[in-house]
């Protein structure tokens, strides 16, 4: 067990690092563990029992709620029953098989589909842009290999902006737009070379331990059309190189707290309540970039995922006043439930 300033912050992801640092500034005792860096014991008061957190997941999150949140199919069913729009989907398991005819009909209806593991996280095992049966079979094998339960979801692919809203104690905390990994062409270098150069930036390193993750060449090659990786991108051309916008795949973030419309915030809070998650990250795909006066009809928002343990880092500057305020609100919350 490590205590207070002896905790090795380099082994912690940024959310855990900031929680530990801000707790110590309050004069709280903190304990960490070598075997699992995400587990933190926080002692807000002398002699008090510790508040036990797993990264941002607080102790009042029930096991069943966290378990359900990891099952994307149950999540979709619960949200849909609660009146929240979700993508159309098919569930594929070892016992639930789907004919090629039905799969083809699903592709034809939605043009492009996304295939993902039922119970993985951080964008693992996801294939986007699937538009034919051969690609679908390959994507199913990839998704299944990344699913502990060997179960796969096949969903309509939604085009638009990826927005995450984080709620805390069933109240709005933060919002950000998650931007897929991309490069900007210069008319001289191939897309592959641009990715390699981008990955050299000091901000890019190990996933969730560096401010930005490196972009995987293998994942870019799988996403792009054959030969595209070695095409010279024209000057100022923006090329998306991975289909998903997860920060862990090398995507970037843009804070949208001041521009997210009220109705979208209310949808996120309602989703958190349905899922019974006191800390909750609700991921939306919306048709266009949200503005404060955007209407439901304009955005056509659908929830694609719910996270019981979302990252609490929502700003490019992780030491900004706004970022630290979000962490302080989290600490106020866990102190209130102690």
């Amino acid at each position: 067990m490590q205590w207070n300033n002896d905790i090795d912050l380099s082994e912690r992801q940024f959310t855990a690092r900031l929680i530990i640092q801000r707790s110590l500034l309050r004069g709280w005792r903190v304990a960490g563990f070598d075997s699992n860096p995400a587990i933190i014991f926080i002692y807000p008061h002398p002699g008090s029992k510790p508040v036990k957190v797993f990264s941002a997941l607080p102790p009042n999150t029930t096991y069943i709620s966290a378990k359900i949140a990891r099952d994307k199919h149950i999540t979709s069913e619960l949200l849909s029953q609660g009146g929240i729009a979700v993508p159309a989907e098919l569930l594929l398991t070892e016992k639930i098989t789907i004919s090629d005819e039905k799969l083809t009909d699903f592709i034809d209806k939605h043009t492009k589909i996304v295939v993902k593991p039922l119970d993985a996280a951080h964008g693992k095992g996801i294939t986007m842009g699937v538009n034919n049966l051969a690609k679908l079979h390959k994507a199913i094998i990839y998704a299944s290999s990344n699913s502990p339960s060997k179960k796969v979801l096949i969903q309509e692919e939604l085009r638009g902006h990826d927005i995450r809203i984080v709620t805390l104690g069933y109240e709005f905390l933060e919002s950000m737009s998650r931007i897929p990994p991309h490069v900007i062409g210069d008319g001289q270098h191939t897309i592959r070379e641009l990715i390699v150069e981008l990955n050299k930036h000091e901000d890019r390193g190990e996933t969730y331990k560096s401010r930005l993750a490196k972009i995987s060449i293998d994942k870019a090659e799988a996403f792009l059309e054959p030969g595209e990786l070695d095409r010279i991108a024209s000057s100022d051309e923006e090329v998306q190189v991975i289909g998903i916008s997860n920060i862990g795949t090398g995507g970037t973030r843009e804070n949208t707290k001041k521009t997210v419309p009220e109705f979208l915030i209310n949808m996120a809070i309602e989703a958190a309540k349905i899922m019974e998650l006191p800390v909750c990250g609700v991921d939306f795909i919306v048709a266009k970039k949200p503005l404060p006066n955007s209407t439901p009809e304009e955005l056509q928002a659908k929830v694609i995922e719910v996270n019981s343990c979302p990252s609490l880092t929502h700003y490019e500057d992780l030491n900004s006043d706004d970022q630290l305020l979000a962490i302080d609100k989290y600490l106020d919350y866990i102190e209130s439930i102690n």
Side-chain angles (χ1 to χ4, degrees):
M1 184 182 293
Q2 303 168 341
W3 288 96
N4 301 333
N5 291 313
D6 290 331
I7 296 175
D8 185 358
L9 294 180
S10 68
E11 291 300 313
R12 271 72 188 172
Q13 296 180 0
F14 276 115
T15 291
R17 288 188 202 182
L18 290 173
I19 287 173
I20 292 168
Q21 290 173 328
R22 300 302 288 181
S23 294
L24 293 178
L25 282 176
R26 295 182 176 211
W28 295 358
R29 294 175 68 224
V30 182
F33 303 87
D34 290 327
S35 60
N36 194 328
I39 295 176
I40 310 166
F41 283 14
I42 301 174
Y43 298 79
H45 306 290
S48 67
K49 291 183 178 181
V51 180
K52 303 170 184 177
V53 303
F54 180 85
S55 190
L57 193 149
N60 58 337
T61 301
T62 65
Y63 175 82
I64 186 61
S65 292
K67 195 74 173 177
I68 288 173
R70 287 189 64 85
D71 187 308
K72 297 177 178 66
H73 185 62
I74 298 177
T75 296
S76 291
E77 289 194 330
L78 290 177
L79 295 179
S80 180
Q81 290 175 10
I84 293 178
V86 296
E89 68 182 27
L90 300 173
L91 175 65
L92 183 64
T93 73
E94 292 179 348
K95 294 183 178 180
I96 302 174
T97 58
I98 303 173
S99 68
D100 282 353
E101 181 181 5
K102 188 173 182 179
L103 292 174
T104 300
D105 288 343
F106 194 79
I107 294 172
D108 290 343
K109 181 178 180 180
H110 299 292
T111 308
K112 288 187 178 181
I113 59 177
V114 55
V115 183
K116 60 180 70 173
L118 176 74
D119 44 11
H122 306 307
K124 294 180 180 177
I126 296 178
T127 303
M128 297 187 69
V130 176
N131 57 6
N132 61 58
L133 198 57
K135 288 183 179 179
L136 177 54
H137 284 310
K138 184 178 180 180
I140 288 171
I141 293 171
Y142 177 52
S144 179
S145 69
N146 283 275
S147 168
S149 65
K150 303 302 178 185
K151 297 174 182 177
V152 175
L153 273 185
I154 300 169
Q155 294 181 332
E156 65 170 314
E157 183 174 317
L158 303 172
R159 293 291 182 175
H161 292 262
D162 185 320
I163 302 292
R164 168 170 286 186
I165 295 178
V166 175
T167 61
L168 172 65
Y170 306 111
E171 295 180 355
F172 175 53
L173 179 66
E174 281 292 348
S175 173
M176 67 176 176
S177 174
R178 302 192 302 173
I179 304 165
H182 64 279
V183 295
I184 306 297
D186 60 5
Q188 300 179 25
H189 295 88
T190 65
I191 295 171
R192 184 193 302 273
E193 291 169 338
L194 292 171
I195 293 174
V196 170
E197 191 61 30
L198 191 63
N199 283 339
K200 293 179 181 178
H201 196 282
E202 61 180 10
D203 283 347
R204 292 190 180 268
E206 187 177 349
T207 303
Y208 297 114
K209 289 185 181 180
S210 301
R211 195 175 70 81
L212 296 172
K214 291 182 180 293
I215 299 172
S216 165
I217 293 288
D218 289 342
K219 289 183 178 179
E221 189 167 26
F223 172 72
L224 296 169
E225 294 296 325
E228 180 74 358
L229 199 60
D230 294 309
R231 176 179 68 83
I232 294 177
S234 60
S235 183
D236 296 327
E237 177 188 0
E238 182 176 312
V239 182
Q240 182 177 335
V241 296
I242 293 180
I244 57 177
S245 55
N246 194 286
I247 301 299
T249 64
T252 54
R253 63 175 73 86
E254 178 184 336
N255 191 273
T256 55
K257 185 174 184 178
K258 295 180 180 179
T259 59
V260 65
E262 191 69 24
F263 84 86
L264 207 59
I265 292 173
N266 292 336
M267 280 182 69
I269 292 171
E270 183 60 25
K273 289 179 178 178
I274 291 171
M275 299 297 293
E276 297 182 359
L277 294 173
V279 175
C280 185
V282 184
D283 296 341
F284 296 90
I285 295 293
V286 296
K288 57 191 294 188
K289 188 173 182 178
L291 298 172
N293 60 351
S294 294
T295 66
E297 293 75 22
E298 289 174 327
L299 296 190
Q300 302 174 38
K302 291 186 179 181
V303 175
I304 57 169
E305 195 166 334
V306 169
N307 194 319
S308 65
C309 186
S311 168
L312 297 182
T313 54
H314 305 109
Y315 295 85
E316 286 299 301
D317 181 357
L318 297 181
N319 291 307
S320 67
D321 290 343
D322 288 329
Q323 176 60 75
L324 298 180
L325 178 60
I327 299 296
D328 288 342
K329 286 183 177 179
Y330 176 81
L331 295 179
D332 290 342
Y333 176 74
I334 65 167
E335 182 180 22
S336 73
I337 62 174
N338 186 26

